[in-house]
Amino acid sequence: MRLYISVPTISIKLPRIGRPLCFAAFGPFATTAFYLLLGSASEIHYIPLTGTILSVSLLVGLTTTLILFCSHFHQVEGDLAVGKMSPLVRLGTERGSGVVKVAVLALYSLLVALGLCRALPLICSFLCALTLPMGKLVVSYVEENHKNKWKIFMAKYYCVRLHTLFGVALVAGLVAARMLTNRHVPKLVFQ
């Protein structure tokens, strides 16, 4: 004889924090963790965070969050049917396409600002700027197809391509800056 006990589940709904958590987890937290993991010191007496590491983590977090945001365009009807209030359900796909445009514009604006204030090496900013056509493709594709759930499905894959190209450009720029000049030595933020 088996005895089954039914325990009610407690459902806690955290309002609208999925995108910020995605940004933090895959941006600043993951980037900083990998940086610390790959460091050569066995003991850390201070947190060796630099403006460059924090800058890179913000840019990576933005592109990652953009992938997550665009992955919901084709799911709006299904989300509505089950009562899931994703950002695109609340905003609508037309306003959501505007958010994508602002996010891509913010990505490249932040890139320029970080390059000008020398938080990123200039070669890094230059190489990342070469990904601008991919960013433009993401924006134009979402603007043109946001109403067609069959075509908009591809938006997240374009965002993945942007994320990959942008990440490769960031890494190539950081490596090139390190190899070409020793003048760009990042200053520690926390000492």
Side-chain angles (χ1 to χ4, degrees), residues 19 62 65-70 73 86-108 135 138-140 142-143 146 159 162:
R19 302 318 171 273
L62 268 173
T65 306
L66 187 62
I67 295 168
L68 178 63
F69 185 79
C70 285
F73 270 100
S86 68
L88 283 167
V89 169
R90 288 190 303 269
L91 292 172
T93 59
E94 187 170 349
R95 285 177 50 197
S97 70
V99 170
V100 170
K101 186 175 189 173
V102 168
V104 171
L105 183 63
L107 175 70
Y108 288 102
V138 168
V139 170
S140 63
V142 171
E143 283 180 338
H146 67 87
C159 290
L162 172 63

Side-chain angles (χ1 to χ4, degrees), residues 7-33:
V7 179
T9 58
I10 298 173
S11 177
I12 300 173
K13 186 176 180 180
L14 298 175
R16 303 177 183 146
I17 63 169
R19 302 318 171 273
L21 282 176
C22 174
F23 172 80
F26 292 102
F29 294 155
T31 306
T32 304

Side-chain angles (χ1 to χ4, degrees), residues 5-138:
I5 299 174
S6 176
V7 179
T9 58
I10 298 173
S11 177
I12 300 173
K13 186 176 180 180
L14 298 175
R16 303 177 183 146
I17 63 169
R19 302 318 171 273
L21 282 176
C22 174
F23 172 80
F26 292 102
F29 294 155
T31 306
T32 304
F34 281 118
Y35 175 72
L36 293 174
L37 179 70
L38 296 174
S40 60
S42 61
E43 286 186 28
I44 298 177
H45 299 289
Y46 56 88
I47 299 173
L49 294 178
T50 64
T52 303
I53 296 303
L54 293 175
S55 299
V56 167
S57 71
L58 292 175
L59 296 170
V60 170
L62 268 173
T63 58
T64 305
T65 306
L66 187 62
I67 295 168
L68 178 63
F69 185 79
C70 285
S71 71
H72 288 282
F73 270 100
H74 70 284
Q75 299 173 344
V76 172
E77 290 174 10
D79 288 351
L80 268 173
V82 297
K84 182 178 177 185
M85 296 303 292
S86 68
L88 283 167
V89 169
R90 288 190 303 269
L91 292 172
T93 59
E94 187 170 349
R95 285 177 50 197
S97 70
V99 170
V100 170
K101 186 175 189 173
V102 168
V104 171
L105 183 63
L107 175 70
Y108 288 102
S109 298
L110 186 58
L111 174 69
V112 169
L114 293 171
L116 291 176
C117 73
R118 308 286 285 165
L120 283 176
L122 289 177
I123 190 162
C124 197
S125 297
F126 172 75
L127 291 176
C128 287
L130 294 177
T131 67
L132 194 56
M134 192 67 217
K136 187 176 184 297
L137 176 67
V138 168

Side-chain angles (χ1 to χ4, degrees), residues 139-157:
V139 170
S140 63
Y141 188 82
V142 171
E143 283 180 338
E144 293 168 8
N145 299 299
H146 67 87
K147 292 181 182 178
N148 185 337
K149 76 175 189 176
W150 304 111
K151 284 188 176 180
I152 198 64
F153 181 79
M154 287 299 296
K156 64 183 168 189
Y157 297 112

Side-chain angles (χ1 to χ4, degrees), residues 132 158 160 167:
L132 194 56
Y158 289 134
V160 169

